[in-house]
Amino acid sequence: MDKLEIMMQKYFQYILFILAAEVMGWAISDQKIIFQGLILGTIVGLFNLWFMARKTIRFGKAAAEGRRPKSIGTFTRMGTAVLAVLVAIEYPQYFSILPVVLGLITIYFVIVIDFALRLRKDSQMKER
């Protein structure tokens, strides 16, 4: 399995755990609107991660085969994020905008934290 695929699989697992925690928070909390916004944003962020991983793998294969690679779908990912925010604006009784945005950027927090932990682990391995 490709290194990128392994990383994406790990990110998917982390996000699914976060999503499970958000669903549990929704179930036990009386702040339903906040958790519904987080869930919506995280689901859209997870879709964007999946879409980006798929496009990046295809991009790499096309470049390796000497073909001209297609785009990695930046506008599609931006469009889904805008759509999530528009849904939150259209249905304020179900979703709050700030939690939707926080849910959308959850994946980036996961990536940065994973990167920092990997750097720390690599530096500890070099010290030995």
Side-chain angles (χ1 to χ4, degrees):
M1 190 178 287
D2 187 57
K3 187 175 180 179
L4 176 64
E5 291 172 339
I6 293 170
M7 286 174 37
M8 290 300 159
Q9 199 172 41
K10 188 169 37 168
Y11 296 154
F12 271 100
Q13 289 173 351
Y14 293 155
I15 291 296
L16 288 177
F17 283 127
I18 292 170
L19 193 57
E22 291 170 355
V23 170
M24 287 174 35
W26 173 82
I28 63 174
S29 174
D30 57 345
Q31 300 294 323
K32 303 284 187 199
I33 293 174
I34 292 173
F35 282 102
Q36 288 168 176
L38 279 170
I39 291 167
L40 174 65
T42 304
I43 288 172
V44 172
L46 186 63
F47 169 78
N48 284 343
L49 173 68
W50 169 79
F51 189 75
M52 181 179 60
R54 196 176 111 225
K55 288 286 197 170
T56 303
I57 291 167
R58 286 184 181 175
F59 189 91
K61 286 179 182 177
E65 294 171 358
R67 294 184 287 124
R68 184 175 186 273
K70 295 181 182 177
S71 74
I72 58 172
T74 303
F75 290 116
T76 303
R77 288 183 285 120
M78 279 194 251
T80 57
V82 168
L83 182 64
V85 171
L86 288 175
V87 166
I89 290 170
E90 184 67 28
Y91 299 103
Q93 67 271 25
Y94 299 113
F95 305 104
S96 181
I97 295 173
L98 184 59
V100 170
V101 173
L102 288 175
L104 285 168
I105 62 174
T106 300
I107 185 59
Y108 300 105
F109 289 127
V110 168
I111 291 170
V112 167
I113 291 169
D114 181 64
F115 179 72
L117 291 175
R118 208 165 353 114
L119 278 179
R120 183 175 172 214
K121 181 181 173 184
D122 290 345
S123 68
Q124 288 176 350
M125 294 296 282
K126 287 179 182 179
E127 290 175 1
R128 292 183 182 172

